[in-house]
Amino acid sequence: MAAQLSPQQRTDQIRAFQKELKLLEQENIVLFTEKEKIDTYHKNLLEKFISSHNVDTTQEEKQLTLGMKISSFLAVLALALCLFYLFFHYWGFFDEALQVVILITAPLLFLGVSFYLVQKEEMYYYAKISAMLSFVSFILNIVVIGEIFNLASSVNAFLIWSFYGVLLAYIFQARLLLGMGIIAFTFYLSAQVGVWGGGYWFSFSERPESFLFVAVILFSISFIKQQLFIGFDKVYRYFGMLLFFFPILILSNYGYASYILWDHKSIEELYQVMGFLMSALAIYFGIRKGYGEVVNIGNSFFVIFLYTKFFQWWWAWMPKYIFFFILGMSALVILIVLKKVKEIQYKQLKRVAL
């Protein structure tokens, strides 16, 4: 079990154990005869985690780390936009040969800086920023070179961007880059599905069903063990579920966008039923497996599907105070059901403990 926990989760577990043990000793409930041996083991383990993974051992450190992550994200966003506008502001002053040289060297330069910064810091904050700039300049590389040499647009560009983004994500353990790579892969594979369906790749977004295949792939990847890459499995699950439920939500209200050659009302009813069933299944699966993000997304979309149906049925003719009263009562019913599920889980855990 300990091997399945990340260093930060293991650290939190140790700190919680130490606090509980201290309370038990103060109440004279339990007295460990080998407490010094346990303390030494935990001390050595925490020192190892701090030196190798720079974990947070206190709540204050966690708050600082969160602030650093937010600052890193804002820095990445601002510098990426700066790079984008810098390219096009001075682009006309360079001849064609120099433009090509700049386009090729820019992503390589930022990549080299990233590898250099990795050697100088533990948590890769600056390295991740430089890697993100390498990814942005690589996108500009493909787009602008295509314009310079008048190349036809191709869906394969998304595959190249996806490969580079995911590669950088795994090298520098950057979840933001993983998300960008997943988005590019989503565009590529969804466009390919659209082409297989007989359409032009650029119009893939007009058919939400094109995203369902990608969603299944991403959700499946999330169960591959990635112990060295903390949080990557959750990124795959989040994208997989969102790319699955959003198309179903759209098609449950706009059946014309479906590949299925049925009456649009029948298509909408099909996806409405599917939305309720799959979101309920996600809640059940998430509870059984202990995936909080799956439960939260499933619960959110179940409520969205439910409220959408209420709106379709009653908004046009029902008094608004009655409509919102029904919404409130339905939310209470969902709360009661989830509370019952939690009580059942508690009883099962209590039975196992006994």
Side-chain angles (χ1 to χ4, degrees):
M1 178 64 181
Q4 297 177 356
L5 299 176
S6 68
Q8 185 60 60
Q9 291 173 328
R10 189 83 170 92
T11 300
D12 295 340
Q13 190 180 67
I14 292 171
R15 287 305 190 194
F17 172 81
Q18 291 174 339
K19 290 179 181 179
E20 183 64 21
L21 179 59
K22 187 175 181 180
L23 289 174
L24 293 175
E25 288 178 335
Q26 290 175 352
E27 298 292 335
N28 294 321
I29 295 175
V30 67
L31 183 63
F32 278 100
T33 57
E34 297 186 354
K35 184 176 182 298
E36 291 185 3
K37 187 182 293 186
I38 296 174
D39 289 341
T40 302
Y41 169 73
H42 283 160
K43 182 173 179 289
N44 294 334
L45 195 60
L46 289 175
E47 288 177 353
K48 175 185 174 183
F49 288 155
I50 291 172
S51 61
S52 61
H53 294 87
N54 195 22
V55 297
D56 300 320
T57 58
T58 64
Q59 190 63 33
E60 289 76 13
E61 289 179 357
K62 286 186 177 183
Q63 292 173 349
L64 287 173
T65 299
L66 178 60
M68 292 169 68
K69 289 179 179 179
I70 294 173
S71 298
S72 298
F73 174 75
L74 294 176
V76 164
L77 183 62
L79 291 175
L81 291 172
C82 171
L83 183 65
F84 176 81
Y85 285 110
L86 184 66
F87 258 77
F88 289 99
H89 184 75
Y90 293 101
W91 206 239
F93 297 102
F94 307 130
D95 59 36
E96 189 174 283
L98 183 57
Q99 288 178 349
V100 173
V101 171
I102 293 174
L103 289 170
I104 294 174
T105 57
L108 295 176
L109 176 63
F110 284 118
L111 182 61
V113 172
S114 299
F115 279 112
Y116 172 77
L117 292 172
V118 163
Q119 310 300 323
K120 300 296 182 180
E121 57 174 342
E122 295 177 348
M123 291 303 291
Y124 300 177
Y125 283 108
Y126 302 121
K128 291 176 183 178
I129 293 174
S130 182
M132 188 66 190
L133 294 177
S134 177
F135 179 68
V136 172
S137 58
F138 184 73
I139 293 176
L140 290 172
N141 183 333
I142 302 296
V143 172
V144 178
I145 283 182
E147 292 180 355
I148 291 175
F149 295 102
N150 198 26
L151 301 176
S153 60
S154 171
V155 68
N156 294 326
F158 288 108
L159 181 61
I160 299 172
W161 297 336
S162 172
F163 176 79
Y164 191 61
V166 173
L167 180 64
L168 290 177
Y170 277 92
I171 292 175
F172 300 105
Q173 299 187 20
R175 283 176 287 183
L176 179 60
L177 273 169
L178 178 62
M180 299 298 292
I182 288 174
I183 291 173
F185 178 72
T186 299
F187 287 161
Y188 167 75
L189 199 53
S190 301
Q192 287 290 11
V193 172
V195 172
W196 296 334
Y200 179 56
W201 76 264
F202 197 76
S203 60
F204 69 94
S205 59
E206 298 175 1
R207 301 290 185 179
E209 285 162 329
S210 301
F211 293 93
L212 297 178
F213 183 54
V214 191
V216 173
I217 292 177
L218 293 176
F219 194 73
S220 301
I221 293 175
S222 70
F223 298 104
I224 299 175
K225 291 185 179 180
Q226 304 183 61
Q227 295 180 359
L228 298 178
F229 305 99
I230 301 168
F232 277 31
D233 57 337
K234 291 185 178 180
V235 174
Y236 283 112
R237 269 195 290 276
Y238 273 122
F239 275 96
M241 294 191 69
L242 291 175
L243 289 171
F244 182 80
F245 281 112
F246 270 121
I248 291 178
L249 180 62
I250 293 171
L251 290 166
S252 67
N253 293 279
Y254 190 71
Y256 293 102
S258 175
Y259 285 115
I260 303 173
L261 300 178
W262 293 356
D263 175 68
H264 74 94
K265 287 295 183 181
S266 301
I267 295 173
E268 291 170 5
E269 290 172 358
L270 170 66
Y271 279 104
Q272 287 167 8
V273 173
M274 185 183 296
F276 281 113
L277 290 177
M278 297 307 295
S279 56
L281 181 62
I283 296 171
Y284 173 77
F285 178 78
I287 291 173
R288 287 295 301 271
K289 297 296 183 180
Y291 297 136
E293 65 277 7
V294 176
V295 176
N296 292 335
I297 294 177
N299 189 36
S300 299
F301 275 97
F302 185 87
V303 172
I304 291 172
F305 284 118
L306 183 64
Y307 282 10
T308 301
K309 288 303 297 180
F310 287 170
F311 184 86
Q312 292 175 347
W313 287 338
W314 300 321
W315 178 260
W317 61 270
M318 182 178 288
K320 300 303 177 280
Y321 63 90
I322 297 180
F323 177 80
F324 287 109
F325 174 77
I326 293 176
L327 290 187
M329 294 305 295
S330 63
L332 287 177
V333 170
I334 293 173
L335 176 62
I336 292 170
V337 171
L338 293 177
K339 188 173 182 294
K340 286 293 182 183
V341 171
K342 187 175 181 179
E343 290 175 356
I344 293 171
Q345 277 192 312
Y346 174 75
K347 290 178 181 178
Q348 290 176 343
L349 291 172
K350 189 176 181 181
R351 194 179 302 117
V352 171
L354 293 174

